[in-house]
Structure formats: C-alpha cells, structure tokens
Amino acid sequence: MSGNRGNKVICLVPPGPRDRIARFPDHWEACFVHRNDDLTAELTEGARALLTTHPYLVGRAELELLNGVELVQQVGVGVDNIDVDAAQELGVPVCNVPQANAVSVAEYVIMACIFLLRRMVDATAALRRFENPYPALFARGSHEVRGKKLGLVGYGAIAHEVAKRALALEMESLSASAPQRERERGLEPGAGERELGVVRLPFEQLLREADVVSVHVPLTGATRDLIGASELALMKPSAFLINTSRGGIVNEADLADALAQGRIAGAAVDVFSVEPIRPDNPLLGAPNAFLSPHSGGSTNECVIDAIRESITNVDRVLRGEEPHHRVC
C-alpha cells in the first residue's frame, strides 16, 4: 500500500481478545504492547503509526522514541493522556475519534439522572442492610426526571445526545460554557441547541438553576478544578452532579465535603484524577455518591466503532493520505 515504507503500527492498548472486538487489517505489521516499558527502540524502529488509548501516557519520551512516526491515533475522544504540545513541536499529527462514544456516554448520563433522582444509592444500601428503604427514600425525596432542569456544562457531541434523550423524557435542558470559553464565544446558542430547545445560560446561573449538572468539557488548564467548593455552593441543596468528562475538572475533595455536609444531594462520578482510583480517594467514603470505573463509554458498540474509525484513519496515513479529526 505504501511502497517501501512498510505498514508497521504500534498498538499500545490493553490486553484482551482482539478478534472479538475488531479485526486489525492483515496488511498491517501490528505490534501489540500493553505497557509503556515495552516500547523499546528495537520495537519502534520503522513504525509509521501509534494506536493507543487511556490509560496509557504518551509523553515526550515516548514520542521521541517513536522517531519518524506519522500519526498518533487515540482510540477515544479525550487526548489528555498525550503530550499534544510535544507532538506538535515534533511534527507528529495527533488524531481522535470525536463522536464514537457520544451515544454510550449520553445513555450513561441519562441512567445516572434517573438513578440519582430516584435515590437508588440509598435504596440499594438499605436493601443490603435488610432495612425498609421507604422512610429514607421519601424523607430525602425520590423524584421523576420529568420536568427537571438538566444543566449541561459544555455542549459538544455527547451533550447534544444527552439533550436529545432528555427531551424525550420531558426534561428541560440548559447549557453553559466554561467561563473562559464563555468570554470567548458569548451566550449565543449553537444550531444543535436551538434545534432541541436548549436554553444557554451563564455558567454560574446554570449552576444555580439546574436540578442535575452534567459536565461535558475537556480537561485543560482552564478547566482544571472548574467545579470546586465555590461552584458547588451555588448549586441547590436538592441538586445532583454528574461527571463523565475527566477527573480533575471536578475537585474531588471539595465534592466529597459537599456530599458529607449535604450541600448537594448526590453525585455520579465516572472519572477520577488518578485512575484506577486510589484507596485514599475521598469520594470512596462520600455519602450519596454513585461511582463507576470510567465506563461511561464502555459498550461493545462504542468500542467497536472507535476501533474501526481509528483503523480507518491509520490506513489513510499508510496510504499517504491526510488523517481525519486532527487535534494537532
């Protein structure tokens, strides 16, 4: 396909039954490794592309070791595990698959809305203690999602899919940008928001009004600790927080404290500042917290779509074509 340059692709991915998820092309010289330490100069010599995903870190050292690579392909949306600045400096394109997980994560968010509003954290805990759950459920409030305000912080592909499903459930969707982005783009809603009747608000107003706040922004210097003690204090005591975006956007210690003090009603957290989650993470002991292991997009359909799109993009580079969905 590409003359004498070869088709060597380094696949830095978790171990598992590859053929049951997606078939890698026979014309690839695919080298599968499962640890950064396995990336040796001998292994990476002549490689034309790196296929990787979370939780692997691809920093300057890995990029320099992959000298001459023509593409770093992220099997997923977020690229905070990749040193994009170093890649840009070294002239290595970094690409992602920006919409592959949109439906899977949106379904998770809607599931979490219902789970939290119906007080399933309390109910299942009472079940395991062989207690009558109903006094606690109704004392704290068990509610339908119908008529509730869902606040979407950030409005991209995932938030749009969430808003579509929320509309079907008769929820009212609000949206806001992170403050820095809000200053850049103003409060004018996009076409997707207008299509679904999503109301765009200033960030702090959304926090005050929403019954459920769901986070959908990338982790950057501007969004780290975007939601901390002062932002949580703006939320209604009856409100819930959902984070399926990235750990580090929500300050975990501040969220644990807000839950312990009853300043908000509960939270669903799928992403953590350090993954896998550490035993000393304060959210492990927080009340009314539904925690999951970065699995919002972990459906067979999502994984298959992300891998297929990534394979197609790597193939474009092997053919000497420009890749799609460049981050840098």
Side-chain angles (χ1 to χ4, degrees), residues 131-144:
E131 295 177 358
N132 178 1
Y134 296 107
L137 280 178
F138 288 106
R140 295 180 60 82
S142 175
H143 299 284
E144 298 176 351

Side-chain angles (χ1 to χ4, degrees), residues 203-204 206-210 213 226-239 241 250-251 254-255 257-259 261-265:
F203 174 64
E204 291 190 355
L206 179 143
L207 295 178
R208 291 189 179 95
E209 291 192 15
V213 174
L226 174 67
I227 296 182
S230 58
E231 289 75 24
L232 292 163
L234 296 175
M235 294 173 61
K236 297 184 287 190
S238 59
L241 178 71
V250 176
N251 184 292
D254 289 348
L255 176 58
D257 186 58
L259 291 168
Q261 300 299 322
R263 289 195 291 273
I264 65 171

